[in-house]
Amino acid sequence: MNTSGKAVTCWAAIAWKKNSPLSIEEVQVEPPKAGEVRIKMISSGICGSDDHVLKGTFPVKFPLIPGHEGAGIVESIGDKVSSVKPGDKVLTLIIPQCRECNSCLHRKGNFCEKQDVLPSSGLMLDGTSRFTCKGKSIYHSFRVSTFTEYSVVPEIAVAKIDDAAPMDKVCLISCGVPTGYGAAVQSAKVTPGSTCVIFGLGGVGSAIVMGCKASGASRIIGVDINEKKFSQARALGVTDCLNPRKLKKPVQEVVMEMTGVGVDFAFEAVGLVDTMTAAWESCNKSYGVCLIVGLASPESQLSLEAAKIITGKTLKGVCLGDYKTKDCIPQLVADYLQNKINIDPLVTHQLPFDQLHKALELYHAGEVIRCVLLF
């Protein structure tokens, strides 16, 4: 049946308010307007940022359809869309690439000014929503809601990928893989023989481990309060695992003692001020690089000992591995298809969309690296 130009009725997960269970509801998804694309979702990962949204620690507007790490097939396109066509396999992009703003035009910039993360409006670029449920307008999550059978996203937030891509896994290359793997290989440019510490061994942290390993790091220290993650972390390349709650002194002091001089590269993939500070203090004071990858709540403030900043170490924020998304995400998919990177170990669970609540229970229990929802 041809649905182009018509509203589509489908199932989606709605968070009616913060800290409330997701509700699977029948929603109406409007056709895409000019510069927009409607996608039939095939898979979606459950990312830590989604949990921040649902708990209300990251400010968004409710009710909304969450999710942002998605893979799907283009169902229809609006006017003036030229980069994709119906039938194309695509990934959603939480950070778009408009190729017009200051950030996109700068050689190093990738935090497109048309993003909807900081701050989040929950609306499309024209200030309206494409979702309706029970006669009520529903907000978008970062303009790329993926916990739904159909979603409308801006063309600038869609990347066409290889037709050979396995859609049950590549959704991770939409967010978790470039965020973590890219932080190590692209942002930090981890060097052979270096020492690294990674705070947080979830999906993003595990991808950081993979990037450090691929870059030739000789020692990779993993830090997490959930020891269930340690065996998988070691399999990916972590050499030492630390649970801060079981240490007799601050974890940064332990890392300093283990390395003698501090690590070359520290990565924070939790999004908490305490772990950011610990990562910073784990670095070699002269040439260490601390990369903040985790998304903190906007009201939190980071306080550092000012005098020690002059010693030479670097603090750097990283978004999606510094990749320009529409340009680079398709290449990461190609690298996966050519066995240059292997994301398969990151997908520890796959569940049908109607088992979303079970998937979230597994996530909160710390049983998964990434659970992928299949539509």
Side-chain angles (χ1 to χ4, degrees):
M1 184 177 75
N2 184 11
T3 53
S4 179
K6 304 172 185 176
V8 171
T9 299
C10 68
W11 295 102
I14 296 180
W16 290 102
K17 57 185 179 180
K18 73 177 182 180
N19 273 325
S20 64
L22 286 173
S23 177
I24 305 296
E25 306 273 8
E26 200 171 71
V27 301
Q28 288 71 50
V29 185
E30 294 178 15
K33 295 184 180 181
E36 297 176 356
V37 178
R38 188 160 64 187
I39 301 169
K40 185 180 189 305
M41 301 306 304
I42 304 297
S43 66
S44 175
I46 298 176
C47 178
S49 299
D50 299 321
D51 189 54
H52 294 328
V53 164
L54 297 175
K55 288 180 177 177
T57 55
F58 190 81
V60 296
K61 295 178 180 178
F62 293 91
L64 89 163
I65 296 175
H68 63 273
E69 191 176 73
I73 296 173
V74 175
E75 174 267 341
S76 59
I77 59 176
D79 291 341
K80 301 179 181 178
V81 171
S82 59
S83 64
V84 296
K85 64 183 185 303
D88 283 348
K89 289 184 175 182
V90 294
L91 295 182
T92 57
L93 306 172
I94 186 173
I95 301 298
Q97 184 184 352
C98 73
R99 298 193 172 111
E100 296 175 346
C101 70
N102 171 266
S103 182
C104 286
L105 293 174
H106 191 277
R107 181 174 62 87
K108 292 185 176 181
N110 81 324
F111 199 73
C112 177
E113 293 175 10
K114 292 183 180 177
Q115 53 80 31
D116 197 49
V117 180
L118 294 170
S120 175
S121 71
L123 300 170
M124 298 294 281
L125 287 162
D126 68 351
T128 62
S129 170
R130 302 291 170 270
F131 298 123
T132 308
C133 179
K134 300 176 181 177
K136 185 177 180 63
S137 180
I138 307 297
Y139 288 106
H140 296 245
S141 180
F142 310 133
R143 296 199 182 109
V144 288
S145 295
T146 59
F147 290 4
T148 172
E149 292 177 317
Y150 285 86
S151 189
V152 176
V153 304
E155 180 187 13
I156 59 174
V158 172
K160 182 182 184 301
I161 60 172
D162 195 302
D163 286 339
M167 299 297 278
D168 62 332
K169 294 178 181 175
V170 290
C171 57
L172 271 66
I173 301 178
S174 162
C175 176
V177 170
T179 297
Y181 184 84
V185 303
Q186 167 90 352
S187 305
K189 293 181 171 56
V190 169
T191 50
S194 59
T195 57
C196 304
V197 64
I198 299 152
F199 288 79
L201 296 173
V204 170
S206 296
I208 296 172
V209 173
M210 292 171 56
C212 292
K213 180 74 171 177
S215 299
S218 63
R219 190 174 193 181
I220 303 172
I221 302 167
V223 180
D224 204 292
I225 59 173
N226 181 1
E227 295 187 8
K228 294 176 184 177
K229 298 176 181 178
F230 287 176
S231 61
Q232 179 71 29
R234 289 190 177 97
L236 291 174
V238 168
T239 53
D240 307 272
C241 293
L242 301 176
N243 179 348
R245 291 180 175 171
K246 291 189 175 180
L247 301 176
K248 294 180 179 180
K249 57 182 69 175
V251 64
Q252 56 266 42
E253 292 184 21
V254 174
V255 172
M256 276 292 181
E257 290 174 1
M258 291 170 68
T259 58
V261 293
V263 297
D264 300 296
F265 302 97
F267 299 86
E268 198 279 349
V270 182
L272 296 175
V273 168
D274 287 349
T275 44
M276 291 177 182
T277 303
W280 169 255
E281 293 178 354
S282 297
C283 284
N284 181 285
K285 64 182 179 182
S286 180
Y287 51 76
V289 181
C290 177
L291 297 100
I292 305 300
V293 184
L295 181 62
S297 60
E299 69 273 10
S300 58
Q301 299 288 318
L302 185 62
S303 178
L304 303 175
E305 194 174 341
K308 291 184 179 178
I309 293 176
I310 68 161
T311 61
K313 60 182 176 180
T314 302
L315 180 66
K316 176 176 168 53
V318 183
C319 178
L320 280 170
D322 287 332
Y323 291 116
K324 290 182 181 289
T325 50
K326 277 183 80 77
D327 291 343
C328 299
I329 298 300
Q331 183 57 52
L332 286 175
V333 175
D335 289 346
Y336 168 56
L337 294 173
Q338 295 165 18
N339 296 315
K340 293 179 181 177
I341 58 173
N342 181 20
I343 68 170
D344 293 355
L346 301 178
V347 183
T348 53
H349 295 71
Q350 292 179 315
L351 290 172
F353 178 57
D354 60 10
Q355 292 187 35
L356 170 60
H357 292 102
K358 180 181 178 181
L360 289 170
E361 286 174 9
L362 289 168
Y363 170 84
H364 289 123
E367 301 285 349
V368 304
I369 293 182
R370 264 296 193 270
C371 180
V372 173
L373 300 171
L374 302 175
F375 294 84

